[in-house]
Amino acid sequence: MSIPFLDPRQSYIEIKEELDDAYQRVMQSGTYILGEVVESFETDFAIYCEANFAVGVANGLDALTLSLRALDIGADDEVIVPSHTFIATWLAVSQSGATPIAVEPDEHTFNIDPALIEGKITSRTKAIIAVHLYGQPADLEAIQSIAKRHNLYLIEDAAQAHGARYKGKRIGARGDVVCWSFYPGKNLGAYGDGGAVTTNNRSIANKIRTLRNYGSQEKYHNELMGYNSRLDPLQASMLQVKLRHLDRWNMHRCTIAHHYFEALKDADLMLPFTPNWAQPVWHLFVIRHPRRNELKELLTRNGIGCLIHYPIPPHKQIAYLATGQIFDPLPLAEKFATEVLSLPIGPHISHSDAEAVTECVLKLN
Ligand SMILES: *Cc1c(COP(=O)(O)O)cnc(C)c1O
């Protein structure tokens, strides 16, 4: 038996004709940087996210970095980040010149605990980055009211949450800026790198549009120290096709998650928790198990792909140890690193695959 954790090729096989047609049209068009196809995808993606504007960039890390730059966050500033996240959230802050200040997660949702944020705000704090980890929205209203009270920007890292809803509304425009990745393994993934920023704020959208293109709106006129971080039209053409299938693929993820919940409800492990206001899209299905390493070995031995998200929290990475920054104790992030395990989920996982996964998990109980 072989159940891969991820199969980025599956979507290509499934909708090959649509995709081939889309990228061949870009090849024929002669426009290989920005242009109509990128604009057209931006329009579709903004509508999908219920946002006024979308700006395509080169990847998710750049979406975050350019957003921080657009908000004039840099040296001497502090930015609140979750202690439990993919390191890109932190790296963007560090690359902007600011300092990431870690806040621990809620024990049940894995997302930043709003109750712990105010304790970390100082006179240097400029923004809060909320990550919708594993595809489940963070508690945006609670975080937004803290941001308002302290006059901070709210940046959302939605790299794992394409299509998720918070209190009925799509993730996409509640914060000042919302950052997306189209890395192939994401719910909406390209066949290469890609990213975007969505926002309801026209001037922020324009600034990111300028920053992504050498800081220039008019060729050879540079107003900002910009970047070269543009969404590739070949990728945009395929993302536009895939966007039309995203809700169906997300629905499939939900049915697999449903199977995991039902089959594992009496097992000796912790299942994910979903608050009633959250409509997650199950980018990852993450369980906590006291004998995590044993379970991982068992699954792997049985040909079932499973991964740890994430084995080392950012503050324990050599890159951050080397900065000399002193972090307050972050015991939950460290505990999660030893207990979490992601079961395979995605459009490539069939119901019989999911049954095989849960049968195997239950063997350890
Ligand atoms: C994937 C991811 C990113 C970075 O996206 P890239 O496109 O790989 O640069 C940022 N934040 C989170 C939470 C992610 O999962």
Side-chain angles (χ1 to χ4, degrees), residues 59-61 64 85-86 88-89 131 157 159-160 181 183 186 194 310:
N59 54 64
L61 175 59
L64 288 159
T85 181
F86 179 54
T89 317
V131 181
D157 180 341
Q160 302 187 357
S181 162
Y183 175 83
K186 309 291 189 187
Y310 298 91

Side-chain angles (χ1 to χ4, degrees), residues 219-239:
K219 210 170 168 79
Y220 307 129
H221 294 254
N222 303 79
E223 329 150 26
L224 298 166
M225 297 274 194
Y227 303 78
N228 177 354
S229 181
R230 301 171 292 217
L231 178 61
D232 177 347
L234 284 167
Q235 299 304 335
S237 74
M238 291 186 280
L239 286 165

Side-chain angles (χ1 to χ4, degrees), residues 7 30 41 61 69 95-96 133 146 150 165 190 217 221 279-280 328:
D7 183 8
F41 169 67
L61 175 59
R69 269 289 304 277
Q95 282 172 10
S96 77
L133 201 67
I146 297 164
H150 295 271
R165 289 176 193 271
Q217 296 192 66
H221 294 254
Q279 232 173 290
D328 292 340

